[in-house]
Amino acid sequence: MFTIVESLGYTLFGNVSVFLLKMLKCDVALTFTNLLGVIDLNKTMQRTMLAVSLAAIMAVAACSNGNENTKSDAENKKATNTTSNATSNTETVSSEPLNVTMTLMAGSKTPDSWAEHTLEEELSKAMNRKVDVQPIFLPDWSELNTKINLMMSAKDTRPNILWTGDTKEFSKWVEAGIAQDLTPSLQKYGKDILDYYTQDTMFYHWDKSGKIFRVPGDVPEASYMTTILRKDWLDNLGLQEPKTLDEYVNVLRAFTKDDPDKNGKNDTYGLSGDNYYRSLAPFFYAYGIDVENFMKQDDGSIKFGALMPQVKTVLELLQGLYKEGVLDPRMTTSANNDDGKVNDIFASGKVGSFYRWVDYFNPGNSTTISFKKLNPTGQYISIDPIQGPDGFSSDMPDAQIGWCYLIVTDTIDTDSAVQVLDTMAKPEVFKQLAFGKEGEHYTMNKGEFVPTIQPEEGSKLGLGNFGWIMQRKDAANIKNTPEVTEMFTKKIETSQPMRDKIVVFKAIDRPEWDKYSADIKKVRDELFWGIITGKTPVSAFDDFEKQYLKLGGKQIDEEAVSLFNTQQEERTAYDAWYEANIVPYK
């Protein structure tokens, strides 16, 4: 059992977006990337004029920006074969100054910040050469892909290190030679990266050619959600922590009907959450099903989880609980997809249970702070996953695939780029970039992270600007209390049963899924939430598989089976490759 610590803290990161870049360093020539990062790249006239101007400037520039490839693949391979396991990260490709451009999406996007200068100092020390970091702050999410694709369209506008989300353009970049193979450089300079990411995680970023063209920038914890209950309500009603689904349902009913907060009003709900199926995980997962993914069957086949017969049983149970008022009606509407709204519901203290974030148990979590202000004696706890009728139980696993990626483009030598990334992956460097300097920006009080600055000051310092670039989720993330770190570790085990069942597809390109899935998910959601709210009879589920096939499910199934079988073969080849090419360098 874990109890939320009743103390307050500050959140270091703000949401202020600033889009400025350093235009010129005293020791380097002005580059295309410097200027194109701060002008509107959509304006053809500006780009043309800029190109003419830069041609003149660069013709007389006396110093190199250090961003061209200096080694061929053959030379890199030769260097790798002659490098021992004891190779030090202080070895350098060149003693010339290095200017490295990288796209950034996280944090306050503060230019010329303390964090940026700190990173430059750490890189210069680690690489034995002067390093100038030149951030390119990306626009908001609505314009992100347009900006990235435009930057990547020409060599003189490409960043050296690209942060990007899951994009269909990746395979085109590989085919065009824009994304470079990092394997030889990781062997020489990437020990911290190779040590941090697991063999499973690296598989999903490995190319069947035996190369690594991208590394994950941020991989979530193996499991980051948990079943949360009001411990003070359990005590008020004389109830024990539920272990089985029947016990859990009885507790939810009591939280709804038996005045658990003792205020004499009928104003509480048993369960709430957002309008995603993850909020209903204690029910679906108790039956070993996930309606969002393909699932392995006992006979070795795979099937879309929403079609499995146990789904009908769960929907019928949920329909009954909704009718009784146990389920918060707000979670059944798409308007409740906003995290902020659900956080407000959590903080209000009128709901007994959620399937929600482990991070809520950090005392500095803003939602936890709000909850304690409104409910000084309130207490939430995390419990083990709920057991179904046959004893199965599991927390929700993460796929261990990076939700964002780092690509080293053809504008820099890979050895230099990997040295930069590996330095950023070091725990001591990561902590500075994320949290600042101990004793100046925060203190550690009995293992608990205590900020000594306000969030606004953290934003000005640029703390978090380099988030999602080699983002660590282990003990280096000192924001987590030891209790929360232990909880995350335990979740690796409690989420394994469903990790063994869910099919995670390695392939980025799934044309049949892309073509038909939107319509299928629309029908699924209307049907499932219709059943839950009582607007649709439970028997309507019986026709769902026919609808699925009619809407393109047959093509999706055939594609899924083919990808799954191919992936199984790739995994065998990958494991042998990993043993030979990665293990000796960890």
Side-chain angles (χ1 to χ4, degrees):
M1 176 195 301
F2 296 91
T3 303
I4 296 180
V5 181
E6 300 180 10
S7 62
L8 306 182
Y10 296 107
T11 302
L12 284 179
F13 313 126
N15 294 318
V16 180
S17 294
V18 181
F19 193 71
L20 297 172
L21 291 179
K22 293 176 291 183
M23 297 296 293
L24 183 62
K25 294 282 186 175
C26 61
D27 58 337
V28 297
L30 194 61
T31 67
F32 276 88
T33 305
N34 293 138
L35 286 180
L36 292 178
V38 294
I39 68 169
D40 185 350
L41 295 179
N42 290 309
K43 297 181 180 178
T44 304
M45 181 61 73
Q46 288 184 350
R47 296 186 66 197
T48 302
M49 294 175 65
L50 177 62
V52 173
S53 300
L54 286 177
I57 294 172
M58 296 182 73
V60 298
C63 55
S64 168
N65 67 3
N67 287 346
E68 294 298 323
N69 279 322
T70 60
K71 286 193 174 186
S72 66
D73 288 343
E75 288 174 318
N76 276 329
K77 184 174 182 180
K78 180 180 179 181
T80 299
N81 291 337
T82 58
T83 302
S84 69
N85 293 350
T87 299
S88 169
N89 280 355
T90 60
E91 292 184 34
T92 60
V93 179
S94 169
S95 60
E96 294 295 318
L98 172 68
N99 302 331
V100 57
T101 59
M102 64 176 72
T103 53
L104 301 179
M105 188 63 181
S108 59
K109 302 182 181 179
T110 307
D112 203 27
S113 66
W114 175 89
E116 180 182 325
H117 294 304
T118 298
L119 176 58
E120 289 172 337
E121 292 174 6
E122 292 291 345
L123 291 172
S124 298
K125 181 172 59 178
M127 300 174 69
N128 282 332
R129 61 195 297 196
K130 181 177 174 56
V131 180
D132 178 22
V133 177
Q134 301 170 0
I136 301 175
F137 297 118
L138 293 169
D140 64 38
W141 295 97
S142 63
E143 301 175 7
L144 177 63
N145 288 335
T146 299
K147 173 74 172 180
I148 287 177
N149 291 339
L150 193 55
M151 293 176 65
M152 293 291 282
S153 65
K155 191 168 185 177
D156 56 13
T157 61
R158 282 197 280 276
N160 304 145
I161 298 172
L162 174 72
W163 174 96
T164 183
D166 196 0
T167 172
K168 303 298 181 185
E169 299 298 316
F170 170 70
S171 58
K172 298 178 183 178
W173 296 335
V174 172
E175 292 172 5
I178 293 173
Q180 300 190 77
D181 176 26
L182 305 181
T183 307
S185 297
L186 286 170
Q187 290 171 335
K188 288 186 288 184
Y189 301 110
K191 189 176 188 306
D192 286 273
I193 296 173
L194 297 179
D195 284 347
Y196 178 67
Y197 292 120
T198 67
Q199 183 170 345
D200 287 341
T201 295
M202 291 303 291
F203 169 64
Y204 292 105
H205 306 84
W206 175 79
D207 189 82
K208 62 183 179 181
S209 65
K211 298 179 180 180
I212 297 175
F213 293 108
R214 59 179 181 166
V215 292
D218 182 6
V219 176
E221 294 86 352
S223 179
Y224 50 83
M225 303 185 81
T226 186
T227 305
I228 298 174
L229 281 180
R230 284 290 294 267
K231 174 65 166 61
D232 54 319
W233 286 10
L234 288 174
D235 294 342
N236 287 346
L237 299 175
L239 299 173
Q240 300 297 313
E241 291 179 34
K243 297 187 180 301
T244 68
L245 184 57
D246 286 343
E247 292 171 352
Y248 183 60
V249 168
N250 287 334
V251 165
L252 296 184
R253 285 194 175 109
F255 283 174
T256 305
K257 302 176 180 181
D258 296 345
D259 192 20
D261 56 0
K262 301 302 181 183
N263 69 351
K265 299 178 182 179
N266 181 21
D267 60 353
T268 58
Y269 292 105
L271 178 76
S272 190
D274 51 28
N275 184 233
Y276 295 113
Y277 297 109
R278 65 190 183 192
S279 291
L280 301 171
F283 300 92
F284 285 114
Y285 275 40
Y287 282 87
I289 49 178
D290 186 308
V291 300
E292 300 269 41
N293 291 290
F294 273 81
M295 305 202 65
K296 301 170 188 175
Q297 306 298 302
D298 292 340
D299 62 0
S301 63
I302 63 174
K303 188 180 183 72
F304 189 46
L307 301 173
M308 295 178 66
Q310 299 95 321
V311 173
K312 182 178 181 180
T313 302
V314 175
L315 292 175
E316 185 171 17
L317 171 60
L318 292 171
Q319 185 184 77
L321 293 175
Y322 183 86
K323 185 177 181 180
E324 293 179 47
V326 173
L327 300 185
D328 182 350
R330 290 171 291 188
M331 71 187 301
T332 66
T333 66
S334 57
N336 215 43
N337 285 345
D338 186 334
D339 260 353
K341 292 180 180 179
V342 182
N343 289 343
D344 289 343
I345 293 172
F346 184 96
S348 72
K350 293 298 181 181
V351 178
S353 183
F354 293 83
Y355 194 77
R356 204 73 178 149
W357 316 118
V358 170
D359 188 60
Y360 278 172
F361 290 88
N362 275 314
N365 180 281
S366 60
T367 304
T368 297
I369 293 171
S370 297
F371 169 75
K372 293 305 297 182
K373 285 182 178 178
L374 296 171
N375 307 273
T377 61
Q379 184 183 36
Y380 277 112
I381 59 171
S382 167
I383 65 171
D384 288 337
I386 300 300
Q387 297 176 14
D390 63 355
F392 183 87
S393 67
S394 180
D395 274 310
M396 179 178 288
D398 183 76
Q400 291 190 302
I401 297 179
W403 70 272
C404 59
Y405 309 97
L406 306 175
I407 294 169
V408 174
T409 74
D410 56 351
T411 62
I412 189 173
D413 67 90
T414 57
D415 281 357
S416 293
V418 168
Q419 282 182 290
V420 168
L421 293 176
D422 197 73
T423 301
M424 296 176 73
K426 294 182 182 301
E428 60 273 18
V429 176
F430 166 78
K431 284 189 284 188
Q432 288 190 83
L433 299 180
F435 308 109
K437 184 176 181 180
E438 185 174 4
E440 185 174 339
H441 304 128
Y442 71 90
T443 60
M444 299 300 296
N445 182 15
K446 298 180 180 179
E448 182 178 321
F449 171 76
V450 181
T452 57
I453 58 175
Q454 296 290 338
E456 295 79 8
E457 187 177 350
S459 295
K460 292 178 181 178
L461 293 169
L463 301 183
N465 276 4
F466 295 93
W468 306 338
I469 303 278
M470 311 312 301
Q471 182 84 2
R472 298 190 71 107
K473 298 296 180 72
D474 56 5
N477 186 7
I478 55 177
K479 177 175 68 80
N480 291 337
T481 65
E483 181 184 46
V484 170
T485 298
E486 181 183 349
M487 191 185 301
F488 278 127
T489 301
K490 182 180 180 182
K491 294 292 171 193
I492 298 175
E493 176 185 348
T494 59
S495 62
Q496 190 62 46
M498 281 299 283
R499 188 175 295 107
D500 291 337
K501 286 177 172 284
I502 294 173
V503 177
V504 178
F505 291 104
K506 178 174 180 285
I508 292 177
D509 297 320
R510 295 174 62 186
E512 301 299 330
W513 175 260
D514 293 340
K515 183 177 181 179
Y516 299 111
S517 62
D519 289 338
I520 287 174
K521 288 190 286 188
K522 182 175 184 293
V523 170
R524 175 200 63 189
D525 295 347
E526 290 177 351
L527 174 64
F528 287 11
W529 289 106
I531 291 174
I532 291 171
T533 58
K535 298 175 182 177
T536 305
V538 177
S539 59
F541 176 81
D542 298 336
D543 295 327
F544 179 49
E545 187 158 7
K546 294 179 183 177
Q547 292 176 287
Y548 171 81
L549 295 173
K550 184 178 179 180
L551 291 170
K554 183 175 184 295
Q555 293 91 320
I556 286 178
D557 288 349
E558 290 174 350
E559 177 185 69
V561 170
S562 176
L563 290 174
F564 179 67
N565 291 337
T566 299
Q567 186 167 303
Q568 297 294 90
E569 296 172 1
E570 281 190 19
R571 182 60 195 244
T572 300
Y574 164 79
D575 287 341
W577 176 90
Y578 187 89
E579 186 68 27
N581 292 277
I582 300 300
V583 171
Y585 302 93
K586 289 171 69 71

